[in-house]
Amino acid sequence: MNTISGEVNQCRNRPAHLDPDFKLTSPIKELLLAGLLGVAALSLVAAPADKPEHPESPTLANLRPVPFTDVKIADAFWLPRQETNRLASIPVSFNNLEKFGNLEALRLAAQRATNGSRGPVYRDSDVYKALEAASYSLAIHPDPMLDRQVDEIIATLAAAQLPDGYLNSYFIIKEPAKRWTNLRDKHELYCAGHLIEAAVANFQATGKTNFLYVATKLADHIDSVFGPAPKRLGYPGHPEIELALVKLWRVTGERRYFELARFFIEQRGQHYFATEHDTPPEKYDGTYWLDDVPICDQDKIKGHAVRAAYLMSGATDVARETRDPALLAMLDRVWRNTTERNMYLTGGIGPSARNEGFTVDYDLPNLTAYQETCATIALAQWSQRLAMLYGEAKYADVVERGLYNGMLAGVSQDGTRFFYVNPLESAGEHHRKEWFGTACCPPNVARTLASLGGYAYATSENALYVNLFIQGSATAKVAGATVKLNVTTDYPWDGVVILKPELAKPASFALRLRVPGWCDAATVTVKINGKDLPNFVLDSGYLVMNREWRTGDAVELNLPMPVQRIAANPNVGADRGLLALQRGPIVYCVEQCDQAEPLATLALPVDAELQAERDANLFGGVMVLKGFGQVSATPDWQQRLYQPVTATKRVPVKAIPYYAWDNRAPGAMRVWLPTTPPAPAAGGLEARAKVALSFVSGNCQPGGINDGIVGKQSSDQPAAACHWWPHKGTDEWAQYTWAKPVTVSGAKVFWFDDTGRGECRLPASWRIEFLDGKEWKPVAAKREYPVAKDKWCEVNFAPVKTTALRLEVKLQQGWAAGVHEWQVTEADMD
């Protein structure tokens, strides 16, 4: 059994989009922007890196990621997903961006319209992520129709861009006089960052400069506004532009872009948002935006999860160049706090829906886990940057964990439906959706899948690093030699990896193979040209083979993959007494459709034998885990009396990869399982009732009203949200119906209120009615009906015998309402 810190076993305490590691000189930039130089020539004019500003800083590896364009993926795991991404997810993204008005808003901006646009203030960013995904896809699979579609959108962007370089459809159309007046909330810099990332990706993929010209014009405008005096102070409420500006600097050689990124990073924590919004200093809390203390004083991960990880990614990019000891030290302690105390087993972060982010260390609930798909990707991007910075395998471990689990769960097997929120447990109400009003996650998954090869390899002056084991090949320059490394493997289902270098002539360099944190290094074996290498060197989590290599050499790495039971750190209260299953990099879950017994009754004893078995007919061929678990054999009457469980029966259990859940019949799911059958859950009359609501929207789960789960506060996000949104100011009801008459004498309600992130508030009033024959009548309440947050609102009434009760609710004018739980009291008939 493995024990873990936070939720994830890091063993070595380990748990990006990748840019080419070259910078173009300014004269080249001028030719580039004039459209006179192609991508082939650009690779010949790399400028030397600037000298570090802090030579006394720790030695950094500063690895160079092998660009995704130099990596060929040819396996049975990732290649089909890239094809699904290309043929389904990317087209679905563009179709939905048209349907939801994002693309139309840009066309309206190009026409200088003043009304008619739809969508949130950050709507442009989702277009840019989709363009980035499409650009990556074009690089590895040319597609004339997609190329033409991308160019048409770029032309719209160029037409929408104002003469001074400003580009944001919301402000161009709706509020042209309010540009840059609300950096905290209006996402202008965030949108600009995603545009820049997309433009760099498009240039890398196609060699075209049309999009890069738009990006540099926008970046030049932003640089003319923000910076040291006499320019103005400011930084984004949602970080993103920092890392994007570093990318732009690397492909253009324009140092101003790096300095602007550095300015945004180093100025953060000056409480600019308090000034911007006239908030008195004593009342200002900048935690959500990581604006509470100067950047180098941050001591832990906090605030909004995606914003925090994007900020740390940008700070890592800046630290790579400056080698600022204080910034490097901050990144180290915050990353450790993130991965050791705040990361889920699946590589995700951000447990709370309330702030889409963090609460306190070790708060990692399963049923209500938020774990936004974008947050998993953001942590992987940040960890990838640290892997390149330090050359330590623990960072690549976190990248792998996120990619194979949390990120991949974000999209359905057919590529057309998506998760925004990723719980580790579901009662059966949580499902992927076709799209979202805030649609950051679908194109984020798409761009990650399309650029996946860029996470796999890296080089130093004399070493080739293998960070992900993917069948295919990579071509890189190492120690002055061009090396093509051919890889054969069935990873992640099998730990045997065969690597064969191809070289024009023999060359000496180190081949460094990551030994994953999930793997016991003592069990790893390696052969070179068929001969065992018994005393191999392990350095920073890498198996190192430093020798002269030639075509015909072959390395066989064997990473044993036993089924592992993972135990959480005891500080993780949600997982005490529970175990999870993992094999290789894959985290498993149990899904109701594979079990003969209700999931809530199932246990997996510590000594239960589990076997990995290939199921060729499931999800294109996956490794499932099979064995036997236990359920209570206690009679139903004992369960109702809450007697101890003294008898169990053996039942078959089947686990599937977590990323694949919710692709078949809807039902419950769990990652963490008890080792003994759980005691029967207490439940009142409501647990046996059939639920109905006066109105059910697409994101309402009526079953949440009687699932027995109550938040600590009204603002807690329920796993199954029961509400009447978007109805506002109306009269609504929830109804319990029983198969046989029941006698009840009381009811209590715990109201849901998502102030600060949604439109549900306490109701104006409520009451209970019962069905008398065919007529609904009010009960004779013994007191006024209370309405309050964060507590049960209870009322007793004269006993009634009925087959149905109604919770009648009057919504506040302009607001919806929701219910965490509605319980009823059975009358004492003595």
Side-chain angles (χ1 to χ4, degrees):
M1 183 190 303
N2 289 17
T3 58
I4 63 178
S5 56
E7 261 211 355
V8 180
N9 176 19
Q10 298 299 353
C11 293
R12 297 186 297 265
N13 181 35
R14 30 160 120 168
H17 294 99
L18 305 175
D19 309 313
D21 196 45
F22 62 81
K23 302 192 287 291
L24 303 183
T25 58
S26 294
I28 297 299
K29 179 192 174 187
E30 293 175 8
L31 292 174
L32 165 67
L33 297 184
L36 301 177
L37 198 58
V39 69
L42 291 175
S43 64
L44 304 177
V45 292
D50 295 294
K51 293 181 179 180
E53 298 181 18
H54 299 275
E56 74 284 1
S57 299
T59 300
L60 303 178
N62 276 346
L63 305 183
R64 298 178 295 277
V66 175
F68 73 98
T69 49
D70 293 333
V71 177
K72 180 180 180 181
I73 293 176
D75 71 342
F77 187 86
W78 288 113
L79 181 60
R81 285 163 176 78
Q82 286 193 321
E83 280 295 284
T84 299
N85 189 51
R86 179 178 71 88
L87 297 173
S89 298
I90 293 174
V92 160
S93 293
F94 282 123
N95 288 342
N96 280 311
L97 290 168
E98 190 68 73
K99 177 181 176 181
F100 281 76
N102 304 61
L103 291 170
E104 178 62 17
L106 289 166
R107 288 192 287 269
L108 289 170
Q111 298 163 12
R112 300 298 182 260
T114 58
N115 56 60
S117 64
R118 295 178 288 144
V121 68
Y122 41 77
R123 62 199 177 200
D124 294 353
S125 66
D126 297 333
V127 175
Y128 302 147
K129 276 177 283 192
L131 287 172
E132 186 179 355
S135 297
Y136 289 140
S137 182
L138 286 171
I140 58 179
H141 195 292
D143 181 333
M145 289 185 62
L146 181 60
D147 193 18
R148 183 164 55 253
Q149 183 181 21
V150 168
D151 276 345
E152 288 173 355
I153 297 173
I154 293 170
T156 299
L157 294 174
Q161 190 167 35
L162 299 181
D164 66 357
Y166 184 87
L167 178 53
N168 184 288
S169 71
Y170 178 88
F171 283 94
I172 291 174
I173 296 169
K174 289 191 171 183
E175 297 183 298
K178 294 186 178 181
R179 296 170 13 177
W180 309 127
T181 58
N182 187 351
L183 300 183
R184 189 189 72 182
D185 303 324
K186 294 300 186 179
H187 290 73
E188 287 166 281
L189 291 172
Y190 170 77
C191 290
H194 276 302
L195 181 148
I196 292 168
E197 278 203 275
V200 170
N202 185 262
F203 169 67
Q204 292 171 333
T206 68
K208 298 177 183 178
T209 61
N210 51 342
F211 201 178
L212 199 62
Y213 179 78
V214 173
T216 54
K217 188 176 178 181
L218 175 56
D220 288 344
H221 167 73
I222 296 170
D223 182 58
S224 74
V225 175
F226 299 99
K231 300 178 188 178
R232 57 172 286 192
L233 176 65
Y235 35 82
H238 195 312
E240 152 65 24
I241 193 170
E242 301 89 341
L243 65 89
L245 286 167
V246 174
K247 287 187 174 188
L248 190 61
W249 161 60
R250 286 177 178 161
V251 298
T252 64
E254 182 55 73
R255 181 75 182 187
R256 286 186 298 111
Y257 301 147
F258 172 82
E259 293 299 337
L260 183 56
R262 179 180 180 179
F263 173 82
F264 286 142
I265 292 290
E266 294 181 349
Q267 295 303 309
R268 198 170 202 91
Q270 302 298 317
H271 295 185
Y272 171 76
F273 300 139
T275 303
E276 183 181 67
H277 291 267
D278 296 322
T279 304
E282 66 275 9
K283 295 183 178 180
Y284 179 67
D285 180 5
T287 302
Y288 178 81
W289 305 279
L290 279 82
D291 188 41
D292 53 334
V293 296
I295 187 72
C296 289
D297 292 342
Q298 295 290 346
D299 60 355
K300 65 179 182 179
I301 200 72
K302 63 181 71 164
H304 185 278
V306 179
R307 299 177 195 225
Y310 279 179
L311 176 64
M312 295 301 156
S313 293
T316 304
D317 286 340
V318 170
R320 177 179 175 124
E321 176 68 9
T322 65
R323 302 192 182 185
D324 182 341
L327 191 56
L328 290 167
M330 181 278 294
L331 290 165
D332 177 66
R333 63 178 175 264
V334 174
W335 188 84
R336 289 186 59 190
N337 173 264
T338 304
T339 57
E340 295 175 11
R341 300 185 178 194
N342 291 282
M343 181 171 69
Y344 280 98
L345 184 64
T346 48
I349 53 175
S352 173
R354 188 176 187 180
N355 62 348
E356 294 190 313
F358 302 99
T359 54
V360 295
D361 289 349
Y362 301 112
D363 179 24
L364 295 166
N366 296 310
L367 191 65
T368 60
Y370 197 71
Q371 199 188 192
E372 182 182 339
T373 303
C374 283
T376 302
I377 293 170
L379 177 59
Q381 291 179 359
W382 177 25
S383 298
Q384 171 71 3
R385 285 165 164 80
L386 290 169
M388 298 300 102
L389 186 67
Y390 289 112
E392 294 184 29
K394 65 182 180 181
Y395 302 109
D397 283 351
V398 173
V399 175
E400 180 183 70
R401 185 174 292 279
L403 292 177
Y404 278 94
N405 299 289
M407 183 280 293
L408 200 52
V411 60
S412 62
Q413 293 290 293
D414 66 3
T416 65
R417 299 177 70 86
F418 308 91
F419 275 146
Y420 193 107
V421 175
N422 294 272
L424 276 72
E425 181 179 343
S426 171
E429 304 283 351
H430 189 73
H431 306 294
R432 292 180 182 86
K433 298 187 181 301
E434 293 181 356
W435 204 245
F436 307 92
T438 297
C440 49
C441 295
N444 214 351
V445 172
R447 68 173 184 160
T448 303
L449 284 169
S451 62
L452 182 80
Y455 291 86
Y457 303 91
T459 62
S460 64
E461 185 177 350
N462 295 301
L464 175 59
Y465 289 70
V466 181
N467 285 322
L468 298 179
F469 303 107
I470 302 174
Q471 181 163 292
S473 64
T475 302
K477 180 166 278 191
V478 187
T482 298
V483 182
K484 181 180 181 183
L485 188 66
N486 297 297
V487 180
T488 303
T489 184
D490 194 26
Y491 198 90
W493 312 126
D494 191 293
V496 175
V497 185
I498 298 172
L499 308 100
K500 296 181 178 180
E502 285 185 28
L503 303 100
K505 60 181 180 179
S508 295
F509 59 89
L511 184 61
R512 298 175 68 97
L513 310 180
R514 180 177 63 93
V515 178
W518 54 260
C519 184
D520 182 355
T523 66
V524 174
T525 61
V526 64
K527 295 180 180 180
I528 298 181
N529 298 330
K531 295 181 180 180
D532 290 333
L533 186 65
N535 298 314
F536 52 77
V537 175
L538 275 176
D539 178 40
S540 298
Y542 289 92
L543 190 157
V544 184
M545 292 164 286
N546 198 342
R547 67 193 298 270
E548 182 178 80
W549 299 94
R550 63 186 67 230
T551 300
D553 285 341
V555 175
E556 181 178 320
L557 175 69
N558 187 6
L559 305 169
M561 289 185 173
V563 178
Q564 296 174 308
R565 287 172 170 84
I566 308 297
N569 185 301
N571 288 311
V572 182
D575 297 334
R576 289 186 193 128
L578 307 179
L579 296 176
L581 300 175
Q582 182 173 330
R583 182 178 181 274
I586 302 295
V587 173
Y588 283 77
C589 70
V590 290
E591 216 175 357
Q592 185 60 68
C593 60
D594 293 316
Q595 320 308 325
E597 300 287 340
L599 218 57
T601 68
L602 185 65
L604 190 66
V606 174
D607 58 355
E609 291 188 12
L610 291 167
Q611 299 295 328
E613 179 181 306
R614 191 67 173 258
D615 189 335
N617 297 318
L618 185 64
F619 307 128
V622 300
M623 199 72 76
V624 299
L625 306 182
K626 289 186 175 181
F628 288 89
Q630 293 178 346
V631 296
S632 169
T634 306
D636 287 346
W637 68 268
Q638 285 189 357
Q639 290 192 15
R640 287 198 296 273
L641 293 175
Y642 312 119
Q643 297 296 313
V645 177
T646 57
T648 61
K649 66 177 180 180
R650 195 166 177 255
V651 295
V653 173
K654 178 181 178 180
I656 67 166
Y658 169 80
Y659 71 75
W661 85 278
D662 194 45
N663 278 284
R664 299 172 292 169
M669 177 278 297
R670 292 191 72 172
V671 170
W672 293 92
L673 295 169
T675 57
T676 58
L685 291 174
E686 69 278 351
R688 305 202 303 268
K690 180 181 179 181
V691 179
L693 264 67
S694 56
F695 169 76
V696 178
S697 66
N699 69 345
C700 169
Q701 294 91 33
I705 200 171
N706 67 338
D707 61 6
I709 301 169
V710 184
K712 296 178 181 178
Q713 299 174 309
S714 293
S715 60
D716 289 346
Q717 183 67 29
C722 178
H723 55 75
W724 292 278
W725 182 88
H727 284 194
K728 301 172 186 176
T730 53
D731 293 332
E732 306 291 346
W733 51 259
Q735 179 175 322
Y736 284 160
T737 303
W738 291 273
K740 296 180 179 180
V742 297
T743 303
V744 295
S745 61
K748 59 181 181 179
V749 183
F750 201 100
W751 298 104
F752 172 61
D753 186 307
D754 60 359
T755 297
R757 67 178 190 274
E759 296 182 324
C760 285
R761 300 293 185 271
L762 293 176
S765 62
W766 65 285
R767 68 177 184 173
I768 299 294
E769 294 187 351
F770 71 101
L771 186 62
D772 185 7
K774 295 183 179 181
E775 184 180 356
W776 288 98
K777 297 180 178 179
V779 298
K782 297 180 179 180
R783 58 171 291 188
E784 294 292 324
Y785 287 86
V787 179
K789 287 197 295 187
D790 304 331
K791 61 188 293 186
W792 285 104
C793 297
E794 186 170 5
V795 65
N796 294 316
F797 46 81
V800 295
K801 189 174 183 179
T802 184
T803 57
L805 279 185
R806 270 190 180 175
L807 171 64
E808 292 278 350
V809 181
K810 185 172 186 61
L811 309 187
Q812 288 190 58
Q813 193 63 36
W815 299 105
V819 180
H820 272 286
E821 196 76 3
W822 170 30
Q823 295 182 357
V824 296
T825 305
E826 189 168 13
D828 186 351
M829 302 308 294
D830 292 340

